[in-house]
Amino acid sequence: MTREEVITYLKTELQFDVKSIGLLDLYVDELLKFNKQYNLISKSTESIVWDRHILDSAQTIKFINPAKNLKICDLGTGAGLPGLIIAIYGYKLGFHVKLYEKSSVKCKFLNNLVNKLEIDNVIVENINVYDISIRADYVVTRAFKKLSEVLSISREIVSTSHKLILLKGKGAEEEIKKVNFGNNYKFEVKKSITDPESKILIFDVKK
């Protein structure tokens, strides 16, 4: 999709408002500037950033209950994907979003960007997720770790019942086959709207 097509989808299907679209424009500008020096996203995807990264991240909103004051965390957020996109959408709902990233370079980009966006519902955590305990209603990840590792983090480090939403690429079905879920997990597999071979995995994790 082109930028215009993505924006139309965001407005009509996901209810992004005028302010949030403006914030996404600022985000994309800053991302592409920073990407000239540091590889936050693949250079080959710069020309399709609105479809490949913005829409791909924004589609997670379809699986988040639009309640106020939700606590959401993004593990291994990188350039803020998908967590910062969720925060931009959820500023009006009071979403509290934490972006976990162990790279200090990426965190510098994220902190500078959050200041420019002037949204106060985001905290950047420059920390290894294995060193902390997390309380959240939703945990999201994109291009983070293998499914088995993410499930381990969800089970051992997230201390509250939560929904776990994973954006996975073409190898999603193979990853699922390698995990022995037993009776511990209920999950759904949804098709990505940006790539027919990619999947979104949604787990209901009870504590």
Side-chain angles (χ1 to χ4, degrees):
M1 291 188 191
T2 65
R3 171 187 174 278
E4 290 72 24
E5 289 171 331
V6 170
I7 288 174
T8 297
Y9 187 94
L10 294 177
K11 288 179 176 179
T12 58
E13 300 297 327
L14 298 177
Q15 286 71 57
F16 274 73
D17 60 17
V18 173
K19 179 179 177 179
S20 58
I21 296 299
L23 294 177
L24 290 177
D25 269 322
L26 176 56
Y27 170 81
V28 169
D29 287 346
E30 293 298 317
L31 174 62
L32 295 179
K33 286 178 188 176
F34 201 84
N35 213 53
K36 292 178 180 178
Q37 291 181 290
Y38 303 96
N39 281 343
L40 294 178
I41 60 172
S42 170
K43 300 290 186 185
S44 64
T45 64
E46 288 182 342
S47 62
I48 53 172
V49 62
W50 279 92
D51 181 76
R52 180 65 184 86
H53 298 293
I54 303 303
L55 182 57
D56 190 57
S57 295
Q59 66 180 318
T60 57
I61 291 164
K62 294 193 297 181
F63 310 109
I64 296 176
N65 180 1
K68 291 186 176 181
N69 303 316
L70 288 176
K71 293 180 174 64
I72 301 169
C73 72
D74 180 4
L75 306 180
T77 189
L81 303 167
L84 192 51
I85 309 306
I86 295 171
I88 288 172
Y89 164 82
Y91 79 91
K92 58 186 180 295
L93 295 172
F95 285 8
H96 302 285
V97 181
K98 287 191 175 182
L99 308 177
Y100 290 95
E101 176 54 53
K102 66 179 182 179
S103 166
S104 57
V105 170
K106 293 175 182 177
C107 285
K108 180 181 179 181
F109 163 75
L110 290 170
N111 278 312
N112 288 337
L113 181 57
V114 168
N115 287 333
K116 289 185 177 181
L117 292 172
E118 297 182 342
I119 52 176
D120 58 7
N121 62 328
V122 182
I123 296 175
V124 179
E125 297 279 10
N126 186 191
I127 196 167
N128 189 322
V129 295
Y130 290 101
D131 297 332
I132 57 175
S133 176
I134 295 172
R135 297 179 63 84
D137 300 302
Y138 287 85
V139 176
V140 297
T141 74
R142 180 179 186 259
F144 180 45
K145 294 181 180 293
K146 294 292 186 182
L147 174 58
S148 58
E149 292 182 70
V150 176
L151 290 176
S152 177
I153 293 171
S154 168
R155 182 175 62 251
E156 298 173 13
I157 295 174
V158 184
S159 61
T160 50
S161 295
H162 59 279
K163 291 279 189 180
L164 175 63
I165 303 174
L166 296 86
L167 290 164
K168 283 289 183 179
K170 298 177 181 179
E173 292 181 353
E174 287 302 313
E175 282 195 63
I176 292 171
K177 291 177 183 178
K178 294 177 181 178
V179 177
N180 181 14
F181 296 103
N183 297 318
N184 297 323
Y185 292 99
K186 292 182 179 179
F187 68 97
E188 299 176 84
V189 181
K190 303 289 186 179
K191 291 182 179 180
S192 168
I193 61 174
T194 59
D195 181 350
E197 296 187 59
S198 295
K199 307 295 181 189
I200 302 169
L201 311 183
I202 307 163
F203 291 81
D204 189 10
V205 183
K206 299 296 184 182
K207 296 287 183 174

